[in-house]
């Protein structure tokens, strides 16, 4: 059976038209790559168009967070980092309704008048420019913690995540903010917490307030 609608040779596009169409498509793709994809994904903005629409900053944050996540994985795979200076991070938690107690990281938890298995802490640490720090809570699967953290000097990069033996990284949230308030629900029994990186160019103070079901607060980095 013959196809009665078969086009004739004159109706087919010429080689020149095909090459022209291919060239136009390639030019459009290259333009999108340079003006949108590169700024948004890699923070590279040769045309400055990405800066106008805020894409360049978004891309730079993505690159920084990815690099920090890789550095964290490498640190976890290697030797255990030495304990930080005790005067750089303090945790304050109430022992009763009127008298707060302050403890350094690594000290035994203070038993308070809170519900069994529940506790609250206020953790304060200072980050120099480009310095990173990580605070983890030891939690059981399904446990919940309400938290808020804030930076005294503008936005900082953060990565909320968890780990356990056999699972080096499970991400909850990441970005660049000056303050975050949320609830964290442990997807498995292990360490759950936050990594911050100060890219402001000046020292900042991070204040973390946690309340919920966890047994320990520890500084990992």
């Amino acid at each position: 059976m013959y196809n009665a609608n078969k086009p004739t040779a004159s109706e087919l596009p010429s080689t020149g038209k095909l090459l022209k169409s291919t060239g136009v498509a390639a030019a459009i793709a290259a333009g999108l790559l340079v003006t949108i994809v590169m700024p948004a994904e890699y923070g590279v903005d040769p045309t400055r168009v990405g800066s106008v629409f805020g894409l360049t900053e978004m891309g730079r944050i993505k690159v920084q967070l990815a690099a920090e996540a890789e550095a964290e994985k490498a640190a976890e795979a290697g030797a255990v980092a030495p304990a930080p200076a005790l005067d750089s991070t303090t945790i304050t938690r109430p022992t009763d309704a009127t008298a707060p107690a302050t403890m350094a990281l690594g000290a035994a938890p203070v038993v308070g008048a809170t519900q069994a298995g529940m506790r609250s802490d206020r953790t304060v640490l200072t980050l120099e420019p480009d310095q990173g720090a990580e605070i983890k809570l030891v939690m059981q699967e399904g446990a919940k913690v309400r938290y808020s953290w804030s930076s005294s000097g503008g936005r900082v990069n953060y990565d909320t995540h968890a780990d356990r033996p056999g699972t080096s990284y499970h991400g909850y949230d990441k970005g660049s903010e000056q303050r975050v308030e949320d609830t964290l629900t442990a997807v498995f029994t292990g360490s759950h917490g936050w990594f911050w990186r100060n890219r402001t160019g000046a020292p900042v103070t991070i204040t973390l307030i946690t309340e919920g079901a966890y047994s320990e607060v520890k500084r990992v980095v």
Side-chain angles (χ1 to χ4, degrees):
M1 184 175 181
Y2 296 97
N3 186 351
N5 296 320
K6 182 179 179 180
T8 64
S10 61
E11 293 175 325
L12 294 174
S14 65
T15 302
K17 288 183 178 180
L18 290 174
L19 292 174
K20 182 178 180 181
S21 299
T22 302
V24 170
I28 293 174
L32 292 174
L33 175 67
V34 173
T35 59
I36 296 178
V37 177
M38 290 175 62
E41 295 297 327
Y42 307 104
V44 178
D45 188 14
T47 66
R48 303 296 182 184
V49 174
S51 299
V52 175
F53 296 101
L55 300 175
T56 306
E57 181 63 20
M58 180 175 68
R60 288 171 180 167
I61 291 172
K62 285 183 179 180
V63 172
Q64 290 173 358
L65 291 176
E68 288 158 10
E70 289 299 322
E72 181 186 347
K73 290 180 183 179
E76 290 174 352
V80 177
L86 294 181
D87 61 354
S88 65
T89 306
T90 57
I91 303 172
T92 304
R93 59 177 308 208
T95 55
D96 55 42
T98 58
T102 300
M103 66 177 181
L105 287 173
V110 179
V111 178
T114 57
Q115 181 181 353
M118 304 292 288
R119 61 183 284 175
S120 61
D121 296 277
R122 181 174 181 270
T123 305
V124 180
L125 53 92
T126 299
L127 297 181
E128 297 298 324
D130 295 323
Q131 183 182 6
E134 184 175 13
I135 297 293
K136 288 287 184 65
L137 310 180
V138 177
M139 302 173 63
Q140 298 295 311
E141 181 178 352
K144 295 181 181 292
V145 169
R146 290 180 56 83
Y147 70 89
S148 66
W149 64 261
S150 60
S151 163
S152 65
R155 292 177 174 235
V156 293
N157 294 346
Y158 73 93
D159 186 335
T160 308
H161 61 279
D163 64 80
R164 64 177 176 179
T167 303
S168 61
Y169 180 85
H170 174 84
Y172 290 113
D173 185 29
K174 62 173 61 177
S176 178
E177 298 289 348
Q178 185 168 2
R179 175 180 171 83
V180 173
E181 182 174 355
D182 204 347
T183 299
L184 188 154
T185 302
V187 296
F188 50 66
T189 298
S191 299
H192 306 256
W194 306 265
F195 177 82
W196 299 276
R197 177 78 69 182
N198 175 19
R199 299 294 193 187
T200 65
V204 301
T205 298
I206 304 291
T207 302
L208 170 68
I209 298 174
T210 53
E211 180 179 1
Y214 56 96
S215 60
E216 183 183 353
V217 184
K218 57 184 180 179
R219 180 166 178 175
V220 181
V221 178

